[in-house]
mmCIF file of all heavy atoms in Angstrom:
data_model
loop_
_atom_site.group_PDB
_atom_site.id
_atom_site.type_symbol
_atom_site.label_atom_id
_atom_site.label_comp_id
_atom_site.label_asym_id
_atom_site.label_seq_id
_atom_site.Cartn_x
_atom_site.Cartn_y
_atom_site.Cartn_z
ATOM 1 N N TYR A 1322 -1.469 -15.080 5.936
ATOM 2 C CA TYR A 1322 -1.273 -15.335 4.523
ATOM 3 C C TYR A 1322 -1.869 -14.397 3.536
ATOM 4 O O TYR A 1322 -1.581 -14.305 2.500
ATOM 5 C CB TYR A 1322 -1.651 -16.813 4.173
ATOM 6 C CG TYR A 1322 -1.004 -17.958 5.028
ATOM 7 C CD1 TYR A 1322 -1.657 -19.057 5.259
ATOM 8 C CD2 TYR A 1322 0.277 -17.776 5.648
ATOM 9 C CE1 TYR A 1322 -1.155 -20.117 6.040
ATOM 10 C CE2 TYR A 1322 0.789 -18.701 6.381
ATOM 11 C CZ TYR A 1322 0.157 -19.953 6.637
ATOM 12 O OH TYR A 1322 0.580 -20.797 7.394
ATOM 13 N N LEU A 1325 0.302 -12.112 1.707
ATOM 14 C CA LEU A 1325 1.043 -12.568 0.633
ATOM 15 C C LEU A 1325 0.098 -12.493 -0.678
ATOM 16 O O LEU A 1325 0.543 -12.272 -1.657
ATOM 17 C CB LEU A 1325 1.324 -14.056 0.758
ATOM 18 C CG LEU A 1325 2.600 -14.499 1.517
ATOM 19 C CD1 LEU A 1325 2.466 -16.014 1.721
ATOM 20 C CD2 LEU A 1325 3.862 -14.123 0.796
ATOM 21 N N THR A 1329 -0.237 -9.397 -4.811
ATOM 22 C CA THR A 1329 -0.209 -10.073 -6.121
ATOM 23 C C THR A 1329 -1.450 -9.734 -7.056
ATOM 24 O O THR A 1329 -1.324 -9.441 -8.131
ATOM 25 C CB THR A 1329 -0.228 -11.630 -5.814
ATOM 26 O OG1 THR A 1329 0.891 -11.811 -5.038
ATOM 27 C CG2 THR A 1329 -0.059 -12.385 -7.096
ATOM 28 N N LEU A 1330 -2.648 -9.848 -6.423
ATOM 29 C CA LEU A 1330 -3.800 -9.399 -7.131
ATOM 30 C C LEU A 1330 -3.866 -8.056 -7.668
ATOM 31 O O LEU A 1330 -4.297 -7.629 -8.687
ATOM 32 C CB LEU A 1330 -5.007 -9.883 -6.368
ATOM 33 C CG LEU A 1330 -5.215 -11.392 -6.058
ATOM 34 C CD1 LEU A 1330 -6.542 -11.604 -5.368
ATOM 35 C CD2 LEU A 1330 -5.101 -12.274 -7.223
ATOM 36 N N ILE A 1333 -1.764 -7.492 -10.670
ATOM 37 C CA ILE A 1333 -2.402 -7.914 -11.873
ATOM 38 C C ILE A 1333 -3.361 -6.906 -12.316
ATOM 39 O O ILE A 1333 -3.498 -6.514 -13.514
ATOM 40 C CB ILE A 1333 -3.121 -9.295 -11.625
ATOM 41 C CG1 ILE A 1333 -2.057 -10.379 -11.376
ATOM 42 C CG2 ILE A 1333 -3.995 -9.679 -12.729
ATOM 43 C CD1 ILE A 1333 -2.718 -11.661 -10.820
ATOM 44 N N TYR A 1336 -1.855 -3.765 -14.079
ATOM 45 C CA TYR A 1336 -1.382 -4.001 -15.452
ATOM 46 C C TYR A 1336 -2.304 -3.204 -16.574
ATOM 47 O O TYR A 1336 -1.866 -2.715 -17.482
ATOM 48 C CB TYR A 1336 -1.409 -5.450 -15.866
ATOM 49 C CG TYR A 1336 -0.877 -5.805 -17.292
ATOM 50 C CD1 TYR A 1336 0.452 -6.093 -17.408
ATOM 51 C CD2 TYR A 1336 -1.765 -5.793 -18.295
ATOM 52 C CE1 TYR A 1336 0.961 -6.403 -18.814
ATOM 53 C CE2 TYR A 1336 -1.348 -6.155 -19.554
ATOM 54 C CZ TYR A 1336 0.068 -6.356 -19.763
ATOM 55 O OH TYR A 1336 0.481 -6.658 -21.054
ATOM 56 N N TRP A 1337 -3.624 -3.115 -16.007
ATOM 57 C CA TRP A 1337 -4.515 -2.451 -16.806
ATOM 58 C C TRP A 1337 -4.946 -1.019 -16.212
ATOM 59 O O TRP A 1337 -5.131 -0.151 -17.010
ATOM 60 C CB TRP A 1337 -5.791 -3.258 -17.149
ATOM 61 C CG TRP A 1337 -5.547 -4.440 -18.075
ATOM 62 C CD1 TRP A 1337 -5.647 -4.266 -19.381
ATOM 63 C CD2 TRP A 1337 -5.253 -5.785 -17.714
ATOM 64 N NE1 TRP A 1337 -5.353 -5.461 -20.000
ATOM 65 C CE2 TRP A 1337 -5.137 -6.339 -19.029
ATOM 66 C CE3 TRP A 1337 -5.092 -6.404 -16.529
ATOM 67 C CZ2 TRP A 1337 -4.742 -7.725 -19.138
ATOM 68 C CZ3 TRP A 1337 -4.731 -7.782 -16.588
ATOM 69 C CH2 TRP A 1337 -4.546 -8.405 -17.820
ATOM 70 N N GLY A 1458 10.399 -27.116 7.705
ATOM 71 C CA GLY A 1458 9.404 -28.175 7.766
ATOM 72 C C GLY A 1458 9.293 -28.573 9.282
ATOM 73 O O GLY A 1458 8.172 -28.837 9.773
ATOM 74 N N PHE A 1461 7.374 -26.262 11.282
ATOM 75 C CA PHE A 1461 5.873 -26.249 11.063
ATOM 76 C C PHE A 1461 5.196 -27.412 11.748
ATOM 77 O O PHE A 1461 4.200 -27.421 12.330
ATOM 78 C CB PHE A 1461 5.507 -26.185 9.647
ATOM 79 C CG PHE A 1461 5.411 -24.705 9.157
ATOM 80 C CD1 PHE A 1461 6.451 -24.318 8.133
ATOM 81 C CD2 PHE A 1461 4.584 -23.852 9.727
ATOM 82 C CE1 PHE A 1461 6.387 -23.041 7.749
ATOM 83 C CE2 PHE A 1461 4.507 -22.486 9.204
ATOM 84 C CZ PHE A 1461 5.524 -22.066 8.254
ATOM 85 N N HIS A 1462 5.967 -28.628 11.762
ATOM 86 C CA HIS A 1462 5.460 -29.777 12.459
ATOM 87 C C HIS A 1462 5.253 -29.379 14.023
ATOM 88 O O HIS A 1462 4.375 -29.807 14.635
ATOM 89 C CB HIS A 1462 6.430 -31.011 12.312
ATOM 90 C CG HIS A 1462 6.203 -31.701 10.960
ATOM 91 N ND1 HIS A 1462 6.909 -31.443 9.893
ATOM 92 C CD2 HIS A 1462 5.240 -32.611 10.615
ATOM 93 C CE1 HIS A 1462 6.530 -32.142 8.771
ATOM 94 N NE2 HIS A 1462 5.438 -32.887 9.245
ATOM 95 N N GLN A 1465 2.439 -27.311 14.551
ATOM 96 C CA GLN A 1465 1.150 -28.090 14.570
ATOM 97 C C GLN A 1465 0.933 -28.933 15.859
ATOM 98 O O GLN A 1465 -0.265 -29.009 16.341
ATOM 99 C CB GLN A 1465 1.224 -29.060 13.325
ATOM 100 C CG GLN A 1465 0.137 -30.035 13.197
ATOM 101 C CD GLN A 1465 -1.180 -29.384 12.741
ATOM 102 O OE1 GLN A 1465 -1.320 -28.111 12.808
ATOM 103 N NE2 GLN A 1465 -2.170 -30.224 12.498
ATOM 104 N N ALA A 1472 -1.428 -23.016 11.763
ATOM 105 C CA ALA A 1472 -0.855 -22.534 10.570
ATOM 106 C C ALA A 1472 -1.717 -22.515 9.394
ATOM 107 O O ALA A 1472 -1.375 -22.349 8.119
ATOM 108 C CB ALA A 1472 0.436 -23.347 10.213
ATOM 109 N N ALA A 1473 -3.036 -22.724 9.584
ATOM 110 C CA ALA A 1473 -4.084 -22.658 8.564
ATOM 111 C C ALA A 1473 -5.035 -21.587 9.050
ATOM 112 O O ALA A 1473 -4.756 -20.953 10.151
ATOM 113 C CB ALA A 1473 -4.809 -23.919 8.328
ATOM 114 N N LEU A 1474 -6.077 -21.372 8.315
ATOM 115 C CA LEU A 1474 -7.115 -20.339 8.857
ATOM 116 C C LEU A 1474 -7.921 -21.010 9.790
ATOM 117 O O LEU A 1474 -8.513 -22.073 9.472
ATOM 118 C CB LEU A 1474 -7.872 -19.779 7.639
ATOM 119 C CG LEU A 1474 -7.124 -18.994 6.630
ATOM 120 C CD1 LEU A 1474 -7.834 -18.889 5.396
ATOM 121 C CD2 LEU A 1474 -6.879 -17.559 7.186
ATOM 122 N N PRO A 1481 -11.782 -18.647 6.086
ATOM 123 C CA PRO A 1481 -11.582 -18.355 4.646
ATOM 124 C C PRO A 1481 -12.442 -17.190 4.206
ATOM 125 O O PRO A 1481 -12.068 -16.449 3.327
ATOM 126 C CB PRO A 1481 -11.963 -19.715 3.936
ATOM 127 C CG PRO A 1481 -11.553 -20.649 5.023
ATOM 128 C CD PRO A 1481 -11.857 -20.079 6.304
ATOM 129 N N PHE A 1484 -10.559 -14.209 5.000
ATOM 130 C CA PHE A 1484 -9.368 -14.179 4.193
ATOM 131 C C PHE A 1484 -9.747 -13.627 2.858
ATOM 132 O O PHE A 1484 -9.131 -12.591 2.387
ATOM 133 C CB PHE A 1484 -8.733 -15.476 4.142
ATOM 134 C CG PHE A 1484 -7.596 -15.653 3.162
ATOM 135 C CD1 PHE A 1484 -6.293 -15.510 3.610
ATOM 136 C CD2 PHE A 1484 -7.862 -16.011 1.762
ATOM 137 C CE1 PHE A 1484 -5.313 -15.522 2.696
ATOM 138 C CE2 PHE A 1484 -6.764 -16.089 0.866
ATOM 139 C CZ PHE A 1484 -5.625 -16.056 1.411
ATOM 140 N N SER A 1485 -10.672 -14.161 2.273
ATOM 141 C CA SER A 1485 -10.995 -13.765 0.718
ATOM 142 C C SER A 1485 -11.583 -12.289 0.814
ATOM 143 O O SER A 1485 -11.263 -11.588 -0.168
ATOM 144 C CB SER A 1485 -12.103 -14.751 0.156
ATOM 145 O OG SER A 1485 -11.376 -15.969 -0.050
ATOM 146 N N ASP A 1512 4.518 1.738 -20.414
ATOM 147 C CA ASP A 1512 4.993 0.340 -20.409
ATOM 148 C C ASP A 1512 5.710 -0.007 -19.138
ATOM 149 O O ASP A 1512 5.760 -1.260 -18.757
ATOM 150 C CB ASP A 1512 5.988 0.160 -21.595
ATOM 151 C CG ASP A 1512 6.218 -1.239 -22.108
ATOM 152 O OD1 ASP A 1512 5.103 -1.996 -22.298
ATOM 153 O OD2 ASP A 1512 7.214 -1.696 -22.208
ATOM 154 N N ARG A 1515 3.396 -2.057 -17.032
ATOM 155 C CA ARG A 1515 3.102 -3.398 -17.539
ATOM 156 C C ARG A 1515 4.343 -4.404 -17.162
ATOM 157 O O ARG A 1515 4.136 -5.524 -16.745
ATOM 158 C CB ARG A 1515 2.916 -3.521 -19.067
ATOM 159 C CG ARG A 1515 1.618 -2.741 -19.464
ATOM 160 C CD ARG A 1515 1.127 -3.130 -20.759
ATOM 161 N NE ARG A 1515 0.008 -2.104 -21.152
ATOM 162 C CZ ARG A 1515 0.290 -1.177 -21.889
ATOM 163 N NH1 ARG A 1515 1.492 -0.731 -22.429
ATOM 164 N NH2 ARG A 1515 -0.748 -0.302 -22.211
ATOM 165 N N ARG A 1516 5.500 -3.798 -17.333
ATOM 166 C CA ARG A 1516 6.681 -4.734 -17.023
ATOM 167 C C ARG A 1516 6.759 -4.833 -15.461
ATOM 168 O O ARG A 1516 6.968 -5.954 -14.978
ATOM 169 C CB ARG A 1516 7.941 -4.135 -17.562
ATOM 170 C CG ARG A 1516 8.256 -4.476 -18.947
ATOM 171 C CD ARG A 1516 9.506 -3.950 -19.515
ATOM 172 N NE ARG A 1516 9.243 -2.583 -19.903
ATOM 173 C CZ ARG A 1516 10.032 -1.575 -19.813
ATOM 174 N NH1 ARG A 1516 11.256 -1.730 -19.337
ATOM 175 N NH2 ARG A 1516 9.775 -0.391 -20.223
ATOM 176 N N ILE A 1519 4.833 -7.758 -13.887
ATOM 177 C CA ILE A 1519 5.360 -9.174 -14.047
ATOM 178 C C ILE A 1519 6.242 -9.344 -12.819
ATOM 179 O O ILE A 1519 6.263 -10.419 -12.151
ATOM 180 C CB ILE A 1519 6.224 -9.285 -15.380
ATOM 181 C CG1 ILE A 1519 5.327 -9.023 -16.390
ATOM 182 C CG2 ILE A 1519 6.900 -10.672 -15.316
ATOM 183 C CD1 ILE A 1519 6.093 -8.981 -17.890
ATOM 184 N N PRO A 1522 4.850 -9.182 -8.271
ATOM 185 C CA PRO A 1522 4.463 -10.309 -7.399
ATOM 186 C C PRO A 1522 5.573 -10.976 -6.761
ATOM 187 O O PRO A 1522 5.461 -11.553 -5.670
ATOM 188 C CB PRO A 1522 3.711 -11.204 -8.366
ATOM 189 C CG PRO A 1522 3.211 -10.254 -9.513
ATOM 190 C CD PRO A 1522 4.311 -9.219 -9.646
ATOM 191 N N ALA B 262 -5.284 -13.510 -16.554
ATOM 192 C CA ALA B 262 -5.171 -12.710 -15.423
ATOM 193 C C ALA B 262 -6.296 -13.126 -14.376
ATOM 194 O O ALA B 262 -6.044 -12.763 -13.145
ATOM 195 C CB ALA B 262 -5.290 -11.137 -15.863
ATOM 196 N N PRO B 265 -5.492 -16.188 -11.201
ATOM 197 C CA PRO B 265 -5.018 -15.998 -9.774
ATOM 198 C C PRO B 265 -6.132 -15.601 -8.796
ATOM 199 O O PRO B 265 -6.222 -15.828 -7.617
ATOM 200 C CB PRO B 265 -3.825 -15.054 -9.764
ATOM 201 C CG PRO B 265 -3.440 -15.055 -11.253
ATOM 202 C CD PRO B 265 -4.725 -15.333 -12.113
ATOM 203 N N PHE B 266 -7.078 -14.809 -9.287
ATOM 204 C CA PHE B 266 -8.168 -14.319 -8.421
ATOM 205 C C PHE B 266 -8.989 -15.518 -8.076
ATOM 206 O O PHE B 266 -9.301 -15.666 -6.877
ATOM 207 C CB PHE B 266 -9.083 -13.306 -9.239
ATOM 208 C CG PHE B 266 -8.481 -11.998 -9.373
ATOM 209 C CD1 PHE B 266 -7.497 -11.653 -10.347
ATOM 210 C CD2 PHE B 266 -8.848 -10.898 -8.514
ATOM 211 C CE1 PHE B 266 -6.990 -10.418 -10.444
ATOM 212 C CE2 PHE B 266 -8.273 -9.687 -8.467
ATOM 213 C CZ PHE B 266 -7.354 -9.303 -9.551
ATOM 214 N N ILE B 269 -6.842 -17.686 -5.646
ATOM 215 C CA ILE B 269 -6.578 -17.202 -4.228
ATOM 216 C C ILE B 269 -7.899 -17.019 -3.515
ATOM 217 O O ILE B 269 -8.201 -17.522 -2.288
ATOM 218 C CB ILE B 269 -5.801 -15.942 -4.291
ATOM 219 C CG1 ILE B 269 -4.308 -16.223 -4.704
ATOM 220 C CG2 ILE B 269 -5.750 -15.168 -2.916
ATOM 221 C CD1 ILE B 269 -3.370 -14.963 -4.831
ATOM 222 N N LEU B 270 -8.835 -16.245 -4.244
ATOM 223 C CA LEU B 270 -10.074 -15.953 -3.430
ATOM 224 C C LEU B 270 -11.041 -17.108 -3.243
ATOM 225 O O LEU B 270 -11.563 -17.241 -2.086
ATOM 226 C CB LEU B 270 -10.830 -14.756 -4.206
ATOM 227 C CG LEU B 270 -10.059 -13.568 -4.392
ATOM 228 C CD1 LEU B 270 -10.895 -12.354 -5.103
ATOM 229 C CD2 LEU B 270 -9.716 -12.932 -2.958
ATOM 230 N N MET B 273 -8.861 -20.698 -1.715
ATOM 231 C CA MET B 273 -8.478 -20.838 -0.296
ATOM 232 C C MET B 273 -9.458 -21.654 0.573
ATOM 233 O O MET B 273 -9.214 -22.233 1.490
ATOM 234 C CB MET B 273 -8.497 -19.446 0.313
ATOM 235 C CG MET B 273 -7.547 -19.480 1.625
ATOM 236 S SD MET B 273 -5.943 -20.135 1.279
ATOM 237 C CE MET B 273 -5.191 -19.907 2.891
ATOM 238 N N PHE B 274 -10.815 -21.568 0.074
ATOM 239 C CA PHE B 274 -11.778 -22.350 0.817
ATOM 240 C C PHE B 274 -11.511 -23.927 0.738
ATOM 241 O O PHE B 274 -11.876 -24.609 1.629
ATOM 242 C CB PHE B 274 -13.209 -22.179 0.285
ATOM 243 C CG PHE B 274 -13.776 -20.774 0.548
ATOM 244 C CD1 PHE B 274 -13.464 -19.624 -0.279
ATOM 245 C CD2 PHE B 274 -14.547 -20.539 1.646
ATOM 246 C CE1 PHE B 274 -13.986 -18.383 0.150
ATOM 247 C CE2 PHE B 274 -15.037 -19.352 2.034
ATOM 248 C CZ PHE B 274 -14.641 -18.154 1.176
ATOM 249 N N ASN B 277 -7.464 -24.647 2.642
ATOM 250 C CA ASN B 277 -7.284 -24.226 3.992
ATOM 251 C C ASN B 277 -6.962 -25.356 4.884
ATOM 252 O O ASN B 277 -7.952 -25.881 5.588
ATOM 253 C CB ASN B 277 -8.419 -23.469 4.552
ATOM 254 C CG ASN B 277 -8.259 -22.993 5.967
ATOM 255 O OD1 ASN B 277 -7.129 -22.737 6.329
ATOM 256 N ND2 ASN B 277 -9.428 -22.834 6.605
ATOM 257 N N VAL B 279 -3.352 -27.520 7.211
ATOM 258 C CA VAL B 279 -1.983 -27.507 7.519
ATOM 259 C C VAL B 279 -1.357 -28.563 6.626
ATOM 260 O O VAL B 279 -0.293 -28.471 6.197
ATOM 261 C CB VAL B 279 -1.798 -27.719 9.031
ATOM 262 C CG1 VAL B 279 -0.353 -27.934 9.243
ATOM 263 C CG2 VAL B 279 -2.329 -26.426 9.770
ATOM 264 N N TYR B 282 2.110 -31.079 4.070
ATOM 265 C CA TYR B 282 3.201 -30.075 3.842
ATOM 266 C C TYR B 282 3.776 -30.125 2.512
ATOM 267 O O TYR B 282 4.008 -31.240 2.045
ATOM 268 C CB TYR B 282 4.227 -30.341 5.007
ATOM 269 C CG TYR B 282 3.771 -30.265 6.476
ATOM 270 C CD1 TYR B 282 3.326 -31.261 7.037
ATOM 271 C CD2 TYR B 282 3.844 -28.946 7.088
ATOM 272 C CE1 TYR B 282 2.779 -31.154 8.307
ATOM 273 C CE2 TYR B 282 3.417 -28.782 8.354
ATOM 274 C CZ TYR B 282 2.838 -29.809 9.014
ATOM 275 O OH TYR B 282 2.332 -29.727 10.371
ATOM 276 N N GLY B 285 8.018 -28.159 2.884
ATOM 277 C CA GLY B 285 8.011 -27.835 4.336
ATOM 278 C C GLY B 285 7.038 -26.735 4.768
ATOM 279 O O GLY B 285 6.926 -26.585 5.926
ATOM 280 N N PRO B 287 3.164 -25.458 5.466
ATOM 281 C CA PRO B 287 1.704 -25.816 5.528
ATOM 282 C C PRO B 287 1.022 -25.495 4.305
ATOM 283 O O PRO B 287 1.360 -24.623 3.505
ATOM 284 C CB PRO B 287 1.131 -24.935 6.669
ATOM 285 C CG PRO B 287 2.335 -24.209 7.289
ATOM 286 C CD PRO B 287 3.335 -24.191 6.274
ATOM 287 N N MET B 290 -0.331 -22.146 3.268
ATOM 288 C CA MET B 290 0.778 -21.184 2.847
ATOM 289 C C MET B 290 1.319 -21.381 1.545
ATOM 290 O O MET B 290 1.617 -20.457 0.744
ATOM 291 C CB MET B 290 1.746 -21.163 3.949
ATOM 292 C CG MET B 290 2.803 -20.095 3.829
ATOM 293 S SD MET B 290 4.030 -20.004 5.200
ATOM 294 C CE MET B 290 5.187 -18.667 4.749
ATOM 295 N N VAL B 293 -0.852 -20.126 -1.379
ATOM 296 C CA VAL B 293 -0.709 -18.772 -1.731
ATOM 297 C C VAL B 293 0.641 -18.506 -2.293
ATOM 298 O O VAL B 293 0.650 -17.687 -3.264
ATOM 299 C CB VAL B 293 -0.946 -17.883 -0.454
ATOM 300 C CG1 VAL B 293 -1.004 -16.415 -0.733
ATOM 301 C CG2 VAL B 293 -2.163 -18.127 0.233
ATOM 302 N N VAL B 297 1.498 -16.749 -6.081
ATOM 303 C CA VAL B 297 2.252 -15.503 -6.258
ATOM 304 C C VAL B 297 3.317 -15.767 -7.385
ATOM 305 O O VAL B 297 3.408 -14.971 -8.291
ATOM 306 C CB VAL B 297 3.035 -15.217 -4.943
ATOM 307 C CG1 VAL B 297 4.169 -14.068 -5.217
ATOM 308 C CG2 VAL B 297 2.248 -14.770 -3.853
ATOM 309 N N SER B 300 1.317 -16.274 -10.760
ATOM 310 C CA SER B 300 0.922 -14.861 -11.228
ATOM 311 C C SER B 300 1.993 -14.278 -11.979
ATOM 312 O O SER B 300 1.695 -13.656 -13.108
ATOM 313 C CB SER B 300 0.483 -13.926 -10.064
ATOM 314 O OG SER B 300 -0.612 -14.617 -9.380
ATOM 315 N N ALA B 301 3.243 -14.247 -11.515
ATOM 316 C CA ALA B 301 4.247 -13.557 -12.226
ATOM 317 C C ALA B 301 4.385 -14.124 -13.692
ATOM 318 O O ALA B 301 4.555 -13.411 -14.606
ATOM 319 C CB ALA B 301 5.562 -13.587 -11.445
ATOM 320 N N MET B 304 1.590 -13.153 -15.886
ATOM 321 C CA MET B 304 1.564 -11.725 -16.416
ATOM 322 C C MET B 304 2.667 -11.640 -17.403
ATOM 323 O O MET B 304 2.563 -10.813 -18.380
ATOM 324 C CB MET B 304 1.836 -10.818 -15.184
ATOM 325 C CG MET B 304 0.700 -10.756 -14.232
ATOM 326 S SD MET B 304 -0.952 -10.665 -15.117
ATOM 327 C CE MET B 304 -0.989 -8.934 -15.744
ATOM 328 N N VAL B 307 0.887 -12.694 -20.521
ATOM 329 C CA VAL B 307 0.037 -11.567 -20.889
ATOM 330 C C VAL B 307 0.784 -10.467 -21.734
ATOM 331 O O VAL B 307 0.354 -9.890 -22.642
ATOM 332 C CB VAL B 307 -0.681 -11.040 -19.641
ATOM 333 C CG1 VAL B 307 -1.476 -9.872 -20.019
ATOM 334 C CG2 VAL B 307 -1.636 -12.217 -19.126
ATOM 335 N N TYR B 308 1.918 -10.058 -21.079
ATOM 336 C CA TYR B 308 2.739 -9.002 -21.630
ATOM 337 C C TYR B 308 3.301 -9.383 -22.977
ATOM 338 O O TYR B 308 3.173 -8.594 -24.016
ATOM 339 C CB TYR B 308 3.939 -8.802 -20.756
ATOM 340 C CG TYR B 308 4.832 -7.626 -21.111
ATOM 341 C CD1 TYR B 308 4.440 -6.398 -20.911
ATOM 342 C CD2 TYR B 308 6.026 -7.905 -21.746
ATOM 343 C CE1 TYR B 308 5.252 -5.259 -21.286
ATOM 344 C CE2 TYR B 308 6.809 -6.755 -22.205
ATOM 345 C CZ TYR B 308 6.461 -5.465 -21.982
ATOM 346 O OH TYR B 308 7.264 -4.366 -22.328
ATOM 347 N N ASP B 311 0.268 -9.332 -25.364
ATOM 348 C CA ASP B 311 -0.108 -7.897 -25.801
ATOM 349 C C ASP B 311 0.927 -7.258 -26.649
ATOM 350 O O ASP B 311 0.532 -6.454 -27.622
ATOM 351 C CB ASP B 311 -0.150 -7.117 -24.508
ATOM 352 C CG ASP B 311 -1.528 -7.144 -23.813
ATOM 353 O OD1 ASP B 311 -2.389 -7.733 -24.425
ATOM 354 O OD2 ASP B 311 -1.657 -6.573 -22.622
ATOM 355 N N ARG B 315 0.161 -5.916 -30.413
ATOM 356 C CA ARG B 315 0.478 -4.434 -30.774
ATOM 357 C C ARG B 315 1.193 -4.385 -32.173
ATOM 358 O O ARG B 315 0.960 -3.545 -32.945
ATOM 359 C CB ARG B 315 1.084 -3.688 -29.664
ATOM 360 C CG ARG B 315 0.144 -2.765 -29.019
ATOM 361 C CD ARG B 315 0.943 -2.199 -27.685
ATOM 362 N NE ARG B 315 -0.024 -2.446 -26.577
ATOM 363 C CZ ARG B 315 0.438 -2.863 -25.501
ATOM 364 N NH1 ARG B 315 1.679 -3.066 -25.180
ATOM 365 N NH2 ARG B 315 -0.480 -3.047 -24.476
#
Side-chain angles (χ1 to χ4, degrees):
Chain A
Y1322 303 153
L1325 282 170
T1329 304
L1330 298 187
I1333 295 173
Y1336 183 92
W1337 286 279
F1461 279 114
H1462 279 95
Q1465 176 71 351
L1474 294 157
F1484 174 90
S1485 291
D1512 202 48
R1515 297 204 186 92
R1516 269 178 283 146
I1519 302 171
Chain B
F266 284 82
I269 292 177
L270 297 178
M273 199 55 177
F274 286 86
N277 181 27
V279 173
Y282 298 89
M290 184 174 179
V293 185
V297 173
S300 297
M304 292 319 285
V307 168
Y308 183 80
D311 272 353
R315 255 173 234 135

